[in-house]
Tab-separated table of all heavy atoms in Angstrom:
chain	number	residue	atom	x	y	z
A	88	SER	N	1.401	17.950	-17.951
A	88	SER	CA	0.764	19.215	-17.411
A	88	SER	C	1.631	20.366	-17.550
A	88	SER	O	1.067	21.491	-17.656
A	88	SER	CB	0.438	18.950	-15.903
A	88	SER	OG	1.587	18.972	-15.158
A	89	LEU	N	2.895	20.190	-17.689
A	89	LEU	CA	3.880	21.324	-17.961
A	89	LEU	C	3.933	21.679	-19.410
A	89	LEU	O	4.533	22.703	-19.738
A	89	LEU	CB	5.244	20.983	-17.430
A	89	LEU	CG	5.425	20.797	-15.882
A	89	LEU	CD1	6.764	20.207	-15.589
A	89	LEU	CD2	5.131	22.081	-15.204
A	90	GLY	N	3.394	20.871	-20.266
A	90	GLY	CA	3.359	21.179	-21.688
A	90	GLY	C	4.365	20.354	-22.535
A	90	GLY	O	4.454	20.583	-23.742
A	91	HIS	N	4.949	19.309	-21.976
A	91	HIS	CA	5.862	18.493	-22.736
A	91	HIS	C	5.072	17.574	-23.598
A	91	HIS	O	4.081	16.983	-23.155
A	91	HIS	CB	6.815	17.751	-21.795
A	91	HIS	CG	7.759	18.592	-21.036
A	91	HIS	ND1	8.886	19.034	-21.520
A	91	HIS	CD2	7.644	19.090	-19.769
A	91	HIS	CE1	9.499	19.752	-20.568
A	91	HIS	NE2	8.743	19.844	-19.551
A	92	ARG	N	5.562	17.364	-24.851
A	92	ARG	CA	4.909	16.399	-25.795
A	92	ARG	C	5.821	15.283	-26.188
A	92	ARG	O	5.354	14.219	-26.425
A	92	ARG	CB	4.362	17.153	-27.027
A	92	ARG	CG	3.520	18.393	-26.729
A	92	ARG	CD	2.436	18.140	-25.709
A	92	ARG	NE	1.519	17.065	-25.971
A	92	ARG	CZ	0.712	16.499	-25.054
A	92	ARG	NH1	0.660	17.006	-23.843
A	92	ARG	NH2	-0.118	15.516	-25.404
A	93	LYS	N	7.102	15.574	-26.325
A	93	LYS	CA	8.069	14.542	-26.669
A	93	LYS	C	8.944	14.221	-25.496
A	93	LYS	O	9.589	15.102	-24.957
A	93	LYS	CB	8.924	14.978	-27.887
A	93	LYS	CG	8.212	15.129	-29.140
A	93	LYS	CD	9.132	15.171	-30.339
A	93	LYS	CE	9.690	13.772	-30.614
A	93	LYS	NZ	10.387	13.686	-31.827
A	94	VAL	N	8.857	13.035	-25.004
A	94	VAL	CA	9.463	12.643	-23.708
A	94	VAL	C	10.247	11.329	-23.901
A	94	VAL	O	10.070	10.547	-24.849
A	94	VAL	CB	8.405	12.488	-22.620
A	94	VAL	CG1	7.732	13.788	-22.318
A	94	VAL	CG2	7.380	11.457	-22.991
A	95	GLY	N	11.139	11.035	-22.906
A	95	GLY	CA	11.855	9.807	-23.000
A	95	GLY	C	12.021	9.108	-21.675
A	95	GLY	O	11.876	9.800	-20.628
A	96	LEU	N	12.307	7.899	-21.650
A	96	LEU	CA	12.449	7.095	-20.464
A	96	LEU	C	13.843	6.342	-20.558
A	96	LEU	O	14.173	5.758	-21.512
A	96	LEU	CB	11.353	6.013	-20.320
A	96	LEU	CG	11.474	4.952	-19.265
A	96	LEU	CD1	11.468	5.559	-17.849
A	96	LEU	CD2	10.408	3.889	-19.385
A	97	VAL	N	14.567	6.418	-19.399
A	97	VAL	CA	15.824	5.721	-19.227
A	97	VAL	C	15.867	4.939	-17.991
A	97	VAL	O	15.524	5.516	-16.957
A	97	VAL	CB	17.018	6.715	-19.308
A	97	VAL	CG1	18.351	5.957	-19.295
A	97	VAL	CG2	17.021	7.645	-20.511
A	98	ILE	N	16.235	3.686	-17.984
A	98	ILE	CA	16.233	2.842	-16.878
A	98	ILE	C	17.611	2.400	-16.526
A	98	ILE	O	18.414	2.233	-17.481
A	98	ILE	CB	15.223	1.683	-16.918
A	98	ILE	CG1	15.547	0.738	-18.141
A	98	ILE	CG2	13.804	2.143	-16.959
A	98	ILE	CD1	14.683	-0.486	-18.161
A	99	SER	N	17.943	2.097	-15.315
A	99	SER	CA	19.288	1.816	-14.893
A	99	SER	C	19.576	0.298	-14.969
A	99	SER	O	20.764	-0.085	-15.006
A	99	SER	CB	19.576	2.307	-13.488
A	99	SER	OG	18.664	1.777	-12.529
A	100	ARG	N	18.557	-0.527	-14.949
A	100	ARG	CA	18.760	-1.968	-15.010
A	100	ARG	C	17.502	-2.685	-15.238
A	100	ARG	O	16.422	-2.149	-15.032
A	100	ARG	CB	19.409	-2.486	-13.693
A	100	ARG	CG	18.523	-2.232	-12.497
A	100	ARG	CD	19.175	-2.757	-11.216
A	100	ARG	NE	18.383	-2.390	-10.053
A	100	ARG	CZ	18.495	-1.274	-9.369
A	100	ARG	NH1	19.366	-0.394	-9.683
A	100	ARG	NH2	17.683	-1.025	-8.298
A	101	ASN	N	17.639	-3.857	-15.777
A	101	ASN	CA	16.413	-4.774	-15.853
A	101	ASN	C	16.113	-5.326	-14.464
A	101	ASN	O	16.963	-5.995	-13.891
A	101	ASN	CB	16.695	-5.917	-16.943
A	101	ASN	CG	16.533	-5.367	-18.294
A	101	ASN	OD1	15.524	-4.659	-18.607
A	101	ASN	ND2	17.440	-5.706	-19.162
A	102	SER	N	14.948	-5.021	-13.977
A	102	SER	CA	14.515	-5.501	-12.630
A	102	SER	C	13.001	-5.513	-12.630
A	102	SER	O	12.351	-5.007	-13.480
A	102	SER	CB	15.128	-4.569	-11.594
A	102	SER	OG	14.428	-3.312	-11.591
A	103	PRO	N	12.437	-6.187	-11.541
A	103	PRO	CA	11.017	-6.098	-11.446
A	103	PRO	C	10.460	-4.737	-11.439
A	103	PRO	O	9.442	-4.406	-12.002
A	103	PRO	CB	10.739	-6.900	-10.108
A	103	PRO	CG	11.878	-7.823	-9.956
A	103	PRO	CD	13.090	-7.030	-10.547
A	104	THR	N	11.150	-3.778	-10.750
A	104	THR	CA	10.763	-2.410	-10.662
A	104	THR	C	10.748	-1.803	-12.059
A	104	THR	O	9.821	-1.133	-12.455
A	104	THR	CB	11.652	-1.608	-9.690
A	104	THR	OG1	11.463	-2.142	-8.420
A	104	THR	CG2	11.269	-0.173	-9.719
A	105	SER	N	11.821	-1.942	-12.821
A	105	SER	CA	11.991	-1.284	-14.072
A	105	SER	C	10.955	-1.741	-15.036
A	105	SER	O	10.440	-0.924	-15.831
A	105	SER	CB	13.388	-1.384	-14.645
A	105	SER	OG	13.721	-2.715	-14.865
A	106	ARG	N	10.666	-3.020	-15.000
A	106	ARG	CA	9.712	-3.508	-15.978
A	106	ARG	C	8.285	-2.906	-15.721
A	106	ARG	O	7.544	-2.584	-16.654
A	106	ARG	CB	9.559	-5.020	-15.883
A	106	ARG	CG	10.791	-5.781	-16.519
A	106	ARG	CD	10.562	-7.214	-16.650
A	106	ARG	NE	10.545	-7.942	-15.424
A	106	ARG	CZ	11.554	-8.365	-14.867
A	106	ARG	NH1	12.827	-8.168	-15.416
A	106	ARG	NH2	11.551	-9.035	-13.628
A	107	LYS	N	7.951	-2.699	-14.486
A	107	LYS	CA	6.704	-2.040	-14.168
A	107	LYS	C	6.704	-0.587	-14.556
A	107	LYS	O	5.647	-0.054	-15.016
A	107	LYS	CB	6.346	-2.234	-12.661
A	107	LYS	CG	6.192	-3.650	-12.216
A	107	LYS	CD	5.967	-3.740	-10.761
A	107	LYS	CE	5.735	-5.189	-10.228
A	107	LYS	NZ	5.567	-5.291	-8.798
A	108	ILE	N	7.869	0.069	-14.379
A	108	ILE	CA	7.977	1.462	-14.759
A	108	ILE	C	7.770	1.577	-16.253
A	108	ILE	O	6.961	2.426	-16.751
A	108	ILE	CB	9.312	2.064	-14.376
A	108	ILE	CG1	9.404	2.144	-12.843
A	108	ILE	CG2	9.602	3.420	-15.034
A	108	ILE	CD1	10.864	2.491	-12.373
A	109	VAL	N	8.355	0.741	-17.037
A	109	VAL	CA	8.273	0.711	-18.480
A	109	VAL	C	6.753	0.532	-18.952
A	109	VAL	O	6.248	1.275	-19.750
A	109	VAL	CB	9.144	-0.339	-19.147
A	109	VAL	CG1	8.796	-0.441	-20.628
A	109	VAL	CG2	10.588	0.016	-18.970
A	110	ALA	N	6.109	-0.425	-18.332
A	110	ALA	CA	4.711	-0.696	-18.647
A	110	ALA	C	3.838	0.499	-18.341
A	110	ALA	O	2.993	0.864	-19.169
A	110	ALA	CB	4.260	-1.904	-17.841
A	111	GLY	N	4.030	1.109	-17.138
A	111	GLY	CA	3.196	2.252	-16.803
A	111	GLY	C	3.461	3.438	-17.689
A	111	GLY	O	2.567	4.157	-18.077
A	112	TRP	N	4.769	3.663	-17.989
A	112	TRP	CA	5.143	4.806	-18.883
A	112	TRP	C	4.554	4.655	-20.256
A	112	TRP	O	3.973	5.627	-20.780
A	112	TRP	CB	6.673	4.823	-18.904
A	112	TRP	CG	7.249	5.897	-19.855
A	112	TRP	CD1	7.721	5.703	-21.090
A	112	TRP	CD2	7.434	7.264	-19.516
A	112	TRP	NE1	8.178	6.885	-21.594
A	112	TRP	CE2	8.040	7.905	-20.673
A	112	TRP	CE3	7.162	8.016	-18.407
A	112	TRP	CZ2	8.321	9.227	-20.640
A	112	TRP	CZ3	7.451	9.379	-18.382
A	112	TRP	CH2	8.081	9.980	-19.551
A	113	ASN	N	4.650	3.502	-20.831
A	113	ASN	CA	4.067	3.270	-22.201
A	113	ASN	C	2.568	3.535	-22.200
A	113	ASN	O	2.049	4.073	-23.105
A	113	ASN	CB	4.448	1.935	-22.706
A	113	ASN	CG	5.928	1.761	-23.010
A	113	ASN	OD1	6.562	2.741	-23.325
A	113	ASN	ND2	6.379	0.544	-22.994
A	114	ALA	N	1.875	3.017	-21.192
A	114	ALA	CA	0.431	3.202	-21.145
A	114	ALA	C	0.077	4.678	-20.942
A	114	ALA	O	-0.900	5.136	-21.567
A	114	ALA	CB	-0.142	2.368	-19.947
A	115	ALA	N	0.827	5.362	-20.099
A	115	ALA	CA	0.585	6.743	-19.804
A	115	ALA	C	0.843	7.598	-21.104
A	115	ALA	O	0.075	8.537	-21.408
A	115	ALA	CB	1.371	7.303	-18.713
A	116	CYS	N	1.895	7.280	-21.838
A	116	CYS	CA	2.142	8.023	-23.065
A	116	CYS	C	1.011	7.859	-24.086
A	116	CYS	O	0.627	8.837	-24.757
A	116	CYS	CB	3.425	7.590	-23.678
A	116	CYS	SG	4.955	8.160	-22.788
A	117	ARG	N	0.461	6.631	-24.184
A	117	ARG	CA	-0.645	6.444	-25.095
A	117	ARG	C	-1.883	7.230	-24.619
A	117	ARG	O	-2.540	7.898	-25.372
A	117	ARG	CB	-0.980	4.999	-25.173
A	117	ARG	CG	0.036	4.147	-25.919
A	117	ARG	CD	-0.471	2.721	-26.231
A	117	ARG	NE	-0.801	2.013	-25.003
A	117	ARG	CZ	0.149	1.207	-24.354
A	117	ARG	NH1	1.356	1.098	-24.836
A	117	ARG	NH2	-0.255	0.595	-23.322
A	118	GLU	N	-2.133	7.187	-23.330
A	118	GLU	CA	-3.289	7.863	-22.732
A	118	GLU	C	-3.166	9.396	-22.910
A	118	GLU	O	-4.182	10.056	-23.219
A	118	GLU	CB	-3.392	7.527	-21.251
A	118	GLU	CG	-4.446	8.343	-20.514
A	118	GLU	CD	-4.316	8.254	-18.996
A	118	GLU	OE1	-3.712	7.272	-18.517
A	118	GLU	OE2	-4.773	9.105	-18.349
A	119	LEU	N	-1.997	9.955	-22.780
A	119	LEU	CA	-1.864	11.418	-22.758
A	119	LEU	C	-1.449	11.945	-24.134
A	119	LEU	O	-1.329	13.164	-24.292
A	119	LEU	CB	-0.775	11.831	-21.744
A	119	LEU	CG	-1.091	11.402	-20.275
A	119	LEU	CD1	0.186	11.549	-19.372
A	119	LEU	CD2	-2.210	12.274	-19.764
A	120	GLY	N	-1.272	11.089	-25.096
A	120	GLY	CA	-0.909	11.525	-26.432
A	120	GLY	C	0.556	12.000	-26.481
A	120	GLY	O	0.877	12.846	-27.345
A	121	LEU	N	1.381	11.522	-25.623
A	121	LEU	CA	2.830	11.928	-25.615
A	121	LEU	C	3.582	11.037	-26.609
A	121	LEU	O	3.153	9.853	-26.900
A	121	LEU	CB	3.482	11.713	-24.245
A	121	LEU	CG	2.774	12.497	-23.059
A	121	LEU	CD1	3.560	12.229	-21.772
A	121	LEU	CD2	2.908	14.006	-23.416
A	122	THR	N	4.629	11.558	-27.134
A	122	THR	CA	5.403	10.833	-28.156
A	122	THR	C	6.691	10.410	-27.450
A	122	THR	O	7.558	11.168	-27.106
A	122	THR	CB	5.842	11.707	-29.324
A	122	THR	OG1	4.681	12.226	-29.970
A	122	THR	CG2	6.685	10.945	-30.291
A	123	PRO	N	6.829	9.054	-27.157
A	123	PRO	CA	7.998	8.556	-26.435
A	123	PRO	C	9.158	8.487	-27.426
A	123	PRO	O	9.030	8.224	-28.620
A	123	PRO	CB	7.591	7.123	-26.001
A	123	PRO	CG	6.495	6.757	-26.982
A	123	PRO	CD	5.811	7.991	-27.417
A	124	GLY	N	10.387	8.804	-26.925
A	124	GLY	CA	11.587	8.765	-27.709
A	124	GLY	C	12.076	7.343	-27.844
A	124	GLY	O	12.699	6.787	-26.923
A	125	GLU	N	11.780	6.779	-28.963
A	125	GLU	CA	12.053	5.283	-29.200
A	125	GLU	C	13.514	4.942	-29.066
A	125	GLU	O	13.876	3.885	-28.630
A	125	GLU	CB	11.540	4.865	-30.536
A	125	GLU	CG	9.913	4.946	-30.656
A	125	GLU	CD	9.502	4.494	-32.070
A	125	GLU	OE1	10.370	4.165	-32.902
A	125	GLU	OE2	8.280	4.460	-32.230
A	126	HIS	N	14.390	5.813	-29.484
A	126	HIS	CA	15.810	5.555	-29.458
A	126	HIS	C	16.419	6.018	-28.149
A	126	HIS	O	17.700	5.954	-27.949
A	126	HIS	CB	16.543	6.236	-30.643
A	126	HIS	CG	15.977	5.729	-31.925
A	126	HIS	ND1	16.183	4.446	-32.389
A	126	HIS	CD2	15.264	6.351	-32.870
A	126	HIS	CE1	15.652	4.296	-33.563
A	126	HIS	NE2	15.072	5.385	-33.906
A	127	VAL	N	15.674	6.593	-27.224
A	127	VAL	CA	16.153	6.972	-25.927
A	127	VAL	C	15.842	5.948	-24.884
A	127	VAL	O	16.619	5.761	-23.979
A	127	VAL	CB	15.522	8.321	-25.532
A	127	VAL	CG1	15.873	8.717	-24.118
A	127	VAL	CG2	15.977	9.436	-26.471
A	128	GLU	N	14.723	5.189	-25.067
A	128	GLU	CA	14.248	4.332	-23.993
A	128	GLU	C	15.170	3.068	-24.005
A	128	GLU	O	14.939	2.135	-24.726
A	128	GLU	CB	12.836	4.008	-24.201
A	128	GLU	CG	11.998	5.246	-24.001
A	128	GLU	CD	10.478	5.042	-24.283
A	128	GLU	OE1	10.127	3.845	-24.565
A	128	GLU	OE2	9.753	5.968	-24.244
A	129	ARG	N	16.147	3.071	-23.123
A	129	ARG	CA	17.101	2.053	-23.091
A	129	ARG	C	17.668	1.759	-21.690
A	129	ARG	O	17.423	2.603	-20.793
A	129	ARG	CB	18.310	2.351	-24.058
A	129	ARG	CG	18.986	3.709	-23.746
A	129	ARG	CD	19.845	4.189	-24.870
A	129	ARG	NE	20.980	3.299	-25.066
A	129	ARG	CZ	21.869	3.590	-26.020
A	129	ARG	NH1	21.838	4.637	-26.725
A	129	ARG	NH2	22.856	2.724	-26.101
A	130	VAL	N	18.369	0.670	-21.554
A	130	VAL	CA	18.942	0.375	-20.203
A	130	VAL	C	20.397	0.855	-20.240
A	130	VAL	O	21.131	0.603	-21.097
A	130	VAL	CB	18.898	-1.167	-20.044
A	130	VAL	CG1	19.560	-1.468	-18.662
A	130	VAL	CG2	17.482	-1.672	-20.062
A	131	LEU	N	20.705	1.574	-19.203
A	131	LEU	CA	22.062	2.174	-19.031
A	131	LEU	C	23.033	1.064	-18.583
A	131	LEU	O	22.676	0.207	-17.829
A	131	LEU	CB	22.094	3.320	-18.034
A	131	LEU	CG	21.357	4.588	-18.395
A	131	LEU	CD1	21.281	5.539	-17.195
A	131	LEU	CD2	22.112	5.279	-19.560
A	132	PRO	N	24.299	1.170	-18.998
A	132	PRO	CA	25.299	0.276	-18.379
A	132	PRO	C	25.580	0.733	-17.015
A	132	PRO	O	25.164	1.808	-16.557
A	132	PRO	CB	26.544	0.489	-19.283
A	132	PRO	CG	26.315	1.851	-19.951
A	132	PRO	CD	24.829	2.041	-20.052
A	133	ASP	N	26.306	-0.123	-16.245
A	133	ASP	CA	26.599	0.205	-14.865
A	133	ASP	C	27.382	1.482	-14.798
A	133	ASP	O	28.247	1.823	-15.650
A	133	ASP	CB	27.477	-0.892	-14.258
A	133	ASP	CG	27.624	-0.742	-12.776
A	133	ASP	OD1	28.592	-0.112	-12.376
A	133	ASP	OD2	26.779	-1.259	-11.998
A	134	ARG	N	27.140	2.291	-13.726
A	134	ARG	CA	27.745	3.639	-13.585
A	134	ARG	C	29.323	3.503	-13.451
A	134	ARG	O	30.021	4.452	-13.762
A	134	ARG	CB	27.239	4.379	-12.394
A	134	ARG	CG	25.791	4.746	-12.517
A	134	ARG	CD	25.359	5.781	-11.471
A	134	ARG	NE	25.732	5.446	-10.128
A	134	ARG	CZ	25.043	4.644	-9.317
A	134	ARG	NH1	23.948	4.090	-9.738
A	134	ARG	NH2	25.471	4.382	-8.097
A	135	SER	N	29.776	2.371	-13.026
A	135	SER	CA	31.210	2.229	-12.759
A	135	SER	C	32.010	1.909	-14.066
A	135	SER	O	33.227	1.851	-14.003
A	135	SER	CB	31.496	1.119	-11.705
A	135	SER	OG	30.982	-0.148	-12.218
Side-chain angles (χ1 to χ4, degrees):
S88 72
L89 293 171
H91 295 277
R92 308 314 303 167
K93 294 198 73 173
V94 296
L96 169 67
V97 182
I98 59 176
S99 58
R100 59 182 175 269
N101 281 315
S102 70
T104 296
S105 64
R106 287 193 289 274
K107 293 176 182 178
I108 292 171
V109 171
W112 177 259
N113 290 336
C116 286
R117 290 192 297 270
E118 172 194 337
L119 298 167
L121 301 178
T122 303
E125 294 180 359
H126 299 292
V127 172
E128 295 177 3
R129 56 195 297 181
V130 179
L131 291 170
D133 189 270
R134 295 195 309 276
S135 64

